[in-house]
Amino acid sequence: MENEEQDTAPTAARRVTLRDVARVAGVSHQTVSRAINDKGEIDPETRRRVLDAARQLRYRPSRFGRGLVRPATTTVGLVVANVVNPFYPEIIAGVIDAAESRGWKTLISTTQYSADREPALLRSLSDQVDALICYLYQPDDVVAAAIEGVPLVLMSRRPQDPAFAAVDIDIRTGMQAAVSHLLARGHRHIGMIDCPDARDPARKEQFLAVAAEHGIPVAADAVASVHQSVAGGEAGLEQLRRDRPDLTAVLSFNDLVAMGAHRAARRQGLAIPGDLALVGFDGLTMGEFLEPPLTTIDIDKRQMGELAVAQVEHLLAGTVPPPALVRPELLIRAST
């Protein structure tokens, strides 16, 4: 026992830290912070183990640390790709409302669509928050190394790491609704504008799978790959009209891209939906203001934020919940 204590205890030359206690207790440093500050979400047995380790190491919080501690407050870090993207504000609102209803605070940051920024950002946030809700590109092993055990909820992505929780979108249900709707309107030549840089292959994969199930072949040149933006949508529609003028309907990766396709179609003098039907994905409110308004696969984005906070609550209590799934619905407007 004496040898074990010597192996795990810090040297007398430096102050005992939260990370020292975490190493001895076998938990994350965030869990140590919650236990020592008596935050209510932690499992009682875990708290006992942490406090025993703290006593063994004679841990004393620094004066600076005590000044920052607010024992009754849990802080959740929310990382999105870009706060300007109109997809995220409703998610942010859902997270903030759900967190505030629990007496929690929310710290928001952004990756600016850069996977390279993620590890440093996660390391920084992990020292400031009790849990994280994130849209990320990096693989799970890179993320796990950066967050050092801080509870994490991944958004729009299924985790490979069993310690992570998730909120995902039922893409298949959305694509099934969109394709079925277009088929019911008589369309048999359907294309897609995809966004590989979004690193969400499920939308294209499910579109192709559902189309195949309905006996609708989709050739390679009926799918345009573009940057995720309005300008990308314009370029994608122009490419499809050049390569596949027989297409009578186009489904876009998201509503931003669909808005660009809408603009390009009108510029070319196409009647919507008479000459070309358009469908978006995400359900952005601004789609209502196009003429004609955009049919879309609507995702309850506020619900996504609320579910993410509920997932955090499970993680802070010591359990990893199954992924929460948001089911999108077809929102029919005049573009189809």
Side-chain angles (χ1 to χ4, degrees), residues 115 118-119 122-123 126 132 134-150 152-154 157 161 164:
E118 291 176 5
L122 291 173
R123 283 192 292 270
S126 294
L132 288 161
C134 299
Y135 283 86
L136 299 171
Y137 291 138
Q138 290 283 0
D140 284 14
D141 59 338
V142 174
V143 172
I147 65 175
E148 295 187 331
V150 174
L152 171 69
V153 179
L154 286 174
R157 166 175 154 186
D161 191 312
F164 297 166

Side-chain angles (χ1 to χ4, degrees), residues 93-332:
V95 168
I96 291 174
D97 287 349
E100 287 187 349
S101 72
R102 292 165 169 81
W104 300 354
K105 301 300 181 184
T106 306
L107 177 63
I108 301 169
S109 191
T110 174
T111 62
Q112 298 297 322
Y113 298 109
S114 172
D116 293 339
R117 288 172 53 95
E118 291 176 5
L121 176 60
L122 291 173
R123 283 192 292 270
S124 175
L125 287 175
S126 294
D127 287 329
Q128 305 175 58
V129 302
D130 298 286
L132 288 161
I133 298 169
C134 299
Y135 283 86
L136 299 171
Y137 291 138
Q138 290 283 0
D140 284 14
D141 59 338
V142 174
V143 172
I147 65 175
E148 295 187 331
V150 174
L152 171 69
V153 179
L154 286 174
M155 300 295 284
S156 296
R157 166 175 154 186
R158 297 297 181 94
Q160 302 300 312
D161 191 312
F164 297 166
V167 176
D168 203 4
I169 300 166
D170 184 357
I171 300 295
R172 180 173 181 81
T173 292
M175 286 299 177
Q176 182 68 60
V179 172
S180 296
H181 171 65
L182 291 173
L183 291 175
R185 295 292 172 94
H187 296 282
R188 293 296 181 272
H189 301 283
I190 306 171
M192 181 181 182
I193 304 176
D194 187 39
C195 297
D197 64 343
R199 305 190 191 187
D200 184 0
R203 298 192 183 191
K204 175 184 173 181
E205 291 171 355
Q206 291 300 329
F207 165 66
L208 295 176
V210 170
E213 290 169 7
H214 285 279
I216 304 297
V218 180
D221 61 356
V223 178
S225 296
V226 303
H227 179 65
Q228 185 182 189
S229 65
V230 173
E234 292 183 79
L237 193 282
E238 291 167 358
Q239 177 184 328
L240 290 178
R241 291 295 297 173
R242 181 179 63 249
D243 297 342
R244 292 297 303 269
D246 60 315
L247 297 180
T248 62
V250 172
L251 192 149
S252 294
F253 178 86
N254 62 19
D255 283 4
L256 277 181
V257 171
M259 290 173 194
H262 191 289
R263 178 187 294 175
R266 294 297 297 269
R267 187 167 57 239
Q268 294 182 23
L270 298 175
I272 304 174
D275 296 324
L276 185 70
L278 295 175
V279 180
F281 205 115
D282 282 351
L284 300 184
T285 302
M286 63 179 62
E288 298 178 15
F289 304 114
L290 298 177
E291 184 54 48
L294 181 67
T295 293
T296 185
I297 303 302
D298 184 37
I299 299 168
D300 190 334
K301 295 169 283 297
R302 182 176 288 269
Q303 181 192 29
M304 288 186 70
E306 293 168 350
L307 288 173
V309 174
Q311 295 287 84
V312 165
E313 194 164 37
H314 284 289
L315 292 175
L316 292 179
T319 62
V320 181
L325 198 61
V326 175
R327 186 178 294 269
E329 297 182 354
L330 179 67
L331 179 57
I332 299 174

